[in-house]
Amino acid sequence: MAKVSLPGLIPPLTVLLCLGCEVSKPARLEFSPVVPVRAESLQPRPQQSSLVLLAPLEDKRPDPESLGQVYGRSYNSGEIVTWVEGGLREMVAQHFAAPPGQAGARITLRPRILKAYLNSVTVSRIAVLVLECDFVGPDGGSTTQVFRGQLQGLVWAAGEDEAKGALLRCRDQCLDQIQGELSKRLAVKPAS
Amino acid sequence: MRPNSAAAPTPARRPWQAGSVLLITATLLAIGCAKPTRVPLRAELRTQINSVKTMAGFQQQEIGSTINSAQGATAGQFGLIGAFVEMGIDSSRTKSAESAIVPVRNALIGYDPGTTLAAALKNELAPLAWLKGNTIEVKAVGDTTVVQGWLEKCGADVLLVIRPNYSLTPKFDGVLVTAEVSLHPRNAPLTEAQRPLDKLPGVLYYNDFTTTHTLADWPSPAPKDLEEAAKLWSADKGQKGRAVVDAGMAELARMIAYDLEQPGSTEDRYEAPAGAKTVRVNWKGYNQAVPVVHEGNGRVWARHSWGSLYSLKQ
């Protein structure tokens, strides 16, 4: 007969408890403490040129406040744009600094956030982040691509940290894809 | 059932098994005895309505996925272990569906079913003479807490709220469009006739709707897996997929316009007239014969005993 350890019983019990809870007030997700964005990464760095000029992130979500619901619990955040933009700036600064002697950006990246939401299907939580980016070359020619971070996982406690963690992983997936695309376009060898 | 089960020895029933049987029986009885969830709009109230505002609020940002849930599959026979297994199955099915649906979502980026719904509502609600001065607005919303604010600011006697949802079916062979629809009075004397509803302001009318629409040219034999099916939905930048969701939104608008005019009771369940035509409806794992109340456009509308309205292909 199959044995179930006590820790193994915690997730279903927690979910069952959460199902019984009614949370009417939307939980506001504060992203800064989870993913600290270095203040200097948000500032222009005149001393260091970059191969990528990052335009400000546009918010094109249908609802700029809500992040959706998991088990009837609503999540809001007005900070997600700053949080995603911070990640993009950090990624560009880390991986696309111009080599010494080379000046001027070779690509302008114009990102837009199209979707950011949480949802639940039976016992699973779905987190999605969709970014759309224009890659503008030095000649002004532009191509557009969509990048999707999507995560599915069991709802353990329907808590705020769980929701933030899921969106963090979606953001990382998007950043990895954008970094890969930029590396390809700039023929930059990805850092190992 | 095992062959020759009558001759087979019956094992002693353990107390927890008896408990499970009681729980299941009580649940089935509760479902069977439940009062209607539909709140029909009383005919005499229509004359008191001088202006109406319609708000449709989409909580989802993209097409959803659905699964055939395993919950209840073991019927409580294996207690917590069974529940744990069912959760694992559901989680696995959700993972498969969410992974397979990505190309469909990407193909539908930029598609807004709210535009179709707004146009369909405008057409279908226009003939209802008592919906005077109706203006329609579609919004993205986080949850139902916004409804109270909408009601206070709507500037009309009543606010018609539509909360639609659209998802691919578990086999990705169609789209499931559902909606909860409620009519809220803003001032007296209409507020005196309102009925309380969970998480929403008082209502003069409430019902929920379900309509299913299959993808045109669905192949036979069916695609071998969800990934293959997703290719059909995402082909040509999701043109066929958009058409199916649009058809669902248009059907939803027709059903709402029809149902707002239908009488009913908040106390007595909707019983099928003797000899009434029925269709089989799957609802949360229950497959039931439901009486047909309307036929047209190659579809049948069936009303469940608690008032919910379903639309299926004829």
Side-chain angles (χ1 to χ4, degrees):
Chain A
M1 180 153 172
K3 288 182 181 175
V4 174
S5 64
L6 190 60
L9 296 179
I10 293 169
L13 285 173
T14 316
V15 169
L16 290 172
L17 281 171
C18 291
L19 281 170
C21 295
E22 185 180 325
V23 183
S24 56
K25 193 179 175 188
R28 190 164 188 87
L29 297 186
E30 308 283 349
F31 284 96
S32 318
V34 175
V35 191
V37 176
R38 289 199 301 272
E40 66 268 27
S41 72
L42 296 172
Q43 302 299 322
R45 299 176 181 184
Q47 75 282 9
Q48 186 184 8
S49 58
S50 173
L51 297 174
V52 178
L53 178 66
L54 183 62
L57 177 66
E58 282 183 82
D59 191 0
K60 295 282 188 183
R61 289 176 295 155
D63 182 346
E65 266 294 307
S66 173
L67 291 174
Q69 286 186 319
V70 176
Y71 280 139
R73 184 176 193 186
S74 300
Y75 293 94
N76 283 352
S77 176
E79 295 174 353
I80 197 158
V81 175
T82 315
W83 178 67
V84 172
E85 188 167 41
L88 282 164
R89 291 205 181 281
E90 196 127 352
M91 181 267 289
V92 167
Q94 262 182 21
H95 299 281
F96 300 102
Q102 188 177 332
R106 287 163 52 196
I107 284 185
T108 301
L109 186 68
R110 287 193 191 129
R112 291 177 288 279
I113 181 165
L114 299 184
K115 322 270 179 195
Y117 63 89
L118 296 158
N119 190 12
S120 53
V121 177
T122 64
V123 294
S124 297
R125 176 204 53 250
I126 316 295
V128 174
L129 179 69
V130 182
L131 301 180
E132 187 180 56
C133 294
D134 294 336
F135 296 85
V136 186
D139 59 350
S142 169
T143 52
T144 303
Q145 261 183 266
V146 171
F147 302 92
R148 176 181 294 271
Q150 185 167 310
L151 198 76
Q152 174 271 335
L154 205 62
V155 178
W156 294 84
E160 290 167 35
D161 285 348
E162 209 175 283
K164 281 189 289 193
L167 285 167
L168 166 67
R169 288 171 68 183
C170 290
R171 187 191 77 155
D172 288 348
Q173 287 176 15
C174 286
L175 292 182
D176 285 350
Q177 293 166 39
I178 295 168
Q179 186 190 327
E181 186 58 32
L182 284 169
S183 298
K184 201 168 72 182
R185 286 168 185 260
L186 292 164
V188 172
K189 196 177 173 186
S192 57
Chain B
M1 185 180 283
R2 261 181 288 172
N4 303 319
S5 59
T10 308
R13 181 164 282 166
R14 297 176 189 129
W16 61 268
Q17 283 180 313
S20 300
V21 171
L22 271 175
L23 184 66
I24 293 161
T25 310
T27 307
L28 290 173
L29 281 172
I31 290 167
C33 301
K35 283 183 178 178
T37 51
R38 179 176 186 260
V39 177
L41 178 64
R42 283 160 40 197
E44 71 273 18
L45 296 177
R46 288 180 195 139
T47 57
Q48 298 176 37
I49 298 171
N50 292 309
S51 57
V52 61
K53 167 95 181 171
T54 299
M55 295 287 292
F58 280 84
Q59 277 186 257
Q60 66 192 122
Q61 296 187 24
E62 291 189 285
I63 191 164
S65 66
T66 52
I67 59 161
N68 286 320
S69 176
Q71 287 178 40
T74 59
Q77 285 294 299
F78 303 103
L80 197 55
I81 294 171
F84 205 15
V85 169
E86 289 165 3
M87 282 173 63
I89 295 169
D90 277 4
S91 178
S92 170
R93 286 178 182 170
T94 305
K95 193 171 186 176
S96 302
E98 281 294 309
S99 169
I101 204 172
V102 167
V104 184
R105 286 184 178 154
N106 285 341
L108 297 181
I109 286 273
Y111 166 65
D112 178 15
T115 311
T116 305
L117 180 63
L121 284 170
K122 192 177 174 188
N123 280 340
E124 299 300 331
L125 297 179
L128 308 188
W130 55 272
L131 284 178
K132 299 181 192 92
N134 189 15
T135 55
I136 297 162
E137 199 175 330
V138 178
K139 279 196 160 189
V141 297
D143 53 43
T144 54
T145 56
V146 297
V147 174
Q148 184 63 49
W150 287 352
L151 182 60
E152 286 161 10
K153 293 174 188 165
C154 74
D157 285 351
V158 290
L159 176 71
L160 182 64
V161 175
I162 298 158
R163 292 181 291 134
N165 185 288
Y166 63 108
S167 308
L168 287 184
T169 53
K171 290 180 183 172
F172 283 19
D173 56 350
V175 160
L176 183 73
V177 176
T178 63
E180 286 185 65
V181 180
S182 47
L183 187 69
H184 307 269
R186 195 160 68 103
N187 298 315
L190 286 166
T191 45
E192 288 158 18
Q194 72 185 14
R195 296 180 65 88
L197 201 67
D198 189 29
K199 296 181 184 175
L200 284 174
V203 295
L204 300 177
Y205 164 88
Y206 170 85
N207 202 9
D208 60 89
F209 300 84
T210 304
T211 177
T212 51
H213 299 260
T214 47
L215 189 68
D217 308 324
W218 185 250
S220 179
K224 64 177 170 39
D225 54 27
L226 295 180
E227 282 73 17
E228 285 295 313
K231 285 178 188 167
L232 301 173
W233 288 91
S234 53
D236 300 326
K237 294 182 180 173
Q239 282 305 316
K240 279 187 185 173
R242 290 166 200 235
V244 178
V245 179
D246 282 348
M249 293 296 158
E251 182 72 353
L252 178 63
R254 281 191 285 273
M255 293 165 78
I256 293 168
Y258 165 86
D259 198 61
L260 280 166
E261 300 263 86
Q262 300 306 308
S265 164
T266 51
E267 297 300 318
D268 302 320
R269 294 166 61 198
Y270 293 79
E271 300 293 352
K277 185 178 173 180
T278 60
V279 288
R280 304 296 301 185
V281 170
N282 274 311
W283 182 83
K284 295 185 181 176
Y286 299 97
N287 188 299
Q288 294 176 328
V290 179
V292 171
V293 293
H294 175 84
E295 293 181 67
N297 289 331
R299 301 188 66 86
V300 292
W301 294 354
R303 189 180 300 285
H304 210 285
S305 56
W306 51 76
S308 305
L309 199 61
Y310 301 86
S311 169
L312 302 111
K313 195 176 177 187
Q314 205 159 22

